[in-house]
Amino acid sequence: MTQRFHRRVGLAFAGALAAVALSLPALAQEKVLRIAMTAADIPKTHGQPDQGFEGNRFTGIPMYDALTHWDLSKADAPSVLVPGLATSWSVGATDKTKWTFKLRPGVKFHDGSALNADAVVWNVRKVLDKDAPHFDASQVGVTASRMPTLRSARKIDDLTVELTTSEPDSFLPLNLTNLFMASPAHWDAKLKAVPASVTDAAERAKQAWTAFAADASGSGPFKMARFQARERLELVANKGYWDPKRTPSIDRVVLLPMPEANARTAALLSGQVDWIEAPAPDAMAQIRSRGFTIYSNPQPHVWPWQLSFAEGSPWLDKRVRQAANLCVDREGLRTLLGGMMGMPKGTVPPGHPWWGNPNFDIKYDVKAAQTMMTAAGHSAAKPLKVKVQISASGSGQMQPLPMNEFVQQSLKQCFFDVQFDVIEWNTLFTNWRKGAKDPSANGAHAINVSYAAMDPFFAMVRFTSTKTFPPVSNNWGYFGNAEFDKLISDARSAFEDRARDAALAKLHARIVEEAPFVWIAHDVGPRAMAAKVKGVVQPRSWFIDLAPMSIQ
């Protein structure tokens, strides 16, 4: 499997050189940070990125703001929620479906227009109100599925907005980190430029959003400067950003899609880029020996197989699900990855407030797994056939091809016959919302999409609630029942931290015991950078903040 990292390195190197060629004379006086992403395309730039959370990381957080932000300033503590465009928020004393958000005064979009309550209402309507003139169906999937209880927004005054949820939901402020604010005035200007010959309102809105994406306007620390689909996105510093601590000293950021690990590594070693996501594991020593720094940190990021509970699925037997979790040689996998992997015991680790002491222990125990599989009617002569839909690259996917091939061989000893359906990452991510019963699953019984676990909805609720079956959210496998719905309701309706943590601990324990996933790895987010990139904080988060960094 290691040989897979070496083949066609010459071609990868040549491809890297071509991909990152810059107009050096024009940029010679600028402090430029060049980043090679794992994505095969530039994440969408209209304010609700695709390409998984790599989109949020590189075209969301740098260019846009949300009402609430993650604190990405610490490497030695978990990221927590902090004020963003909202300086404060509170839930109603008697009606727990009403939230009041106080907005930060004086914030401007990149086009100079004001960011106020009207703008917040406009941005909620863009993904929730099908009757809004600016509604964009393409933004719904990557937004509404991440905050499924949000129903509406109402202006109270210029700096106060009321948000309404369908049920009491203490997770809402966390979910709102994913709703990025785009400029209504800038979109209106793009709409006016749509030719009068286009008379259909929906088509006019679509064309306006397409034009907006090519010339975006958010309120974040970086502004769009140049955009070429599938090739590059260039951002420049927003020197008028409202937070002095996040006003960039880097003049320009160049983002380049480079899905192959060998190509990224070659580009870094040749000096064509300054930063690569997910370097090739077998090149780690060479990268360090050449003076580059590899950053990593345990993060709330699960790399699993999410299992199907649709009729006829081979995973309906809990013995089979638990056996798979006992048959993965995670130590061997960690060696394959050059040590860049955490060992999962569930979605969150022991000691976490949501741990809950499950009575099923995820570990490597081939004998116990074989016993379970034999009891379920499987053997070396009669293996259980399972099909998994996977990607070749992508946000948070680590090294998906060699990792999945390793797991395939590991599970073979426990009477699993694993086949793969390998598709492009963004297609896989879209299929994730369509579900195991959709034709897009192509007969797969499991899907390999890594996921964030920094808040309760992302970590657990969207995978275990009957209310999040496709297409509402990411319960791809249709796992859930009345017991889990009650545990989720208890956690959602707990607005005091200790009570909410206790409810979530019960939920997590039951998830581990029922094993709707094969928990394979926790990511540590390895990224390699040139020594000239300073001020890097690798937080315990899926995300990282470009704004405080510098080039020396």
Side-chain angles (χ1 to χ4, degrees), residues 68 74 109 180 224 262 289 305 310 316 366 405 470 548:
T68 54
K74 301 179 181 67
F109 287 108
F180 295 109
M224 179 185 282
N262 281 332
S289 70
W305 287 357
L316 293 177
V366 174
E405 289 167 354

Side-chain angles (χ1 to χ4, degrees), residues 250-418:
I250 294 174
D251 298 310
R252 185 177 296 262
V253 175
V254 180
L255 297 167
L256 302 155
M258 208 172 294
E260 294 185 1
N262 281 332
R264 292 193 299 274
T265 301
L268 180 74
L269 294 175
S270 66
Q272 301 302 304
V273 296
D274 311 301
W275 163 342
I276 62 172
E277 296 284 277
D282 63 341
M284 296 286 191
Q286 183 183 11
I287 289 170
R288 290 190 176 99
S289 70
R290 296 278 294 274
F292 297 95
T293 302
I294 297 177
Y295 294 89
S296 66
N297 207 351
Q299 57 184 228
H301 173 182
V302 181
W303 198 94
W305 287 357
Q306 185 178 355
L307 309 178
S308 171
F309 288 75
E311 184 179 357
S313 171
W315 301 106
L316 293 177
D317 189 328
K318 184 165 71 173
R319 294 170 298 183
V320 170
R321 303 195 299 271
Q322 291 187 343
N325 275 287
L326 294 176
C327 201
V328 177
D329 178 9
R330 295 175 182 84
E331 283 291 354
L333 183 59
R334 181 157 61 179
T335 299
L336 175 72
L337 296 173
M340 293 295 175
M341 168 189 146
M343 305 290 282
K345 287 288 189 178
T347 296
V348 299
H352 192 285
W354 309 339
W355 169 241
N357 296 315
N359 61 29
F360 174 59
D361 184 20
I362 297 172
K363 59 185 177 181
Y364 187 43
D365 190 337
V366 174
K367 187 174 181 179
Q370 290 175 337
T371 299
M372 286 180 170
M373 290 295 285
T374 300
H378 307 291
S379 65
K382 188 183 175 183
L384 180 63
K385 293 183 180 296
V386 297
K387 185 177 183 179
V388 188
Q389 198 166 75
I390 70 173
S391 66
S393 65
S395 168
Q397 293 293 89
M398 301 173 70
Q399 307 293 339
L401 290 180
M403 289 175 71
N404 274 298
E405 289 167 354
F406 185 95
V407 175
Q408 178 186 49
Q409 292 302 312
S410 192
L411 291 181
K412 189 174 183 179
Q413 63 190 326
C414 299
F415 320 138
F416 288 91
D417 180 4
V418 179

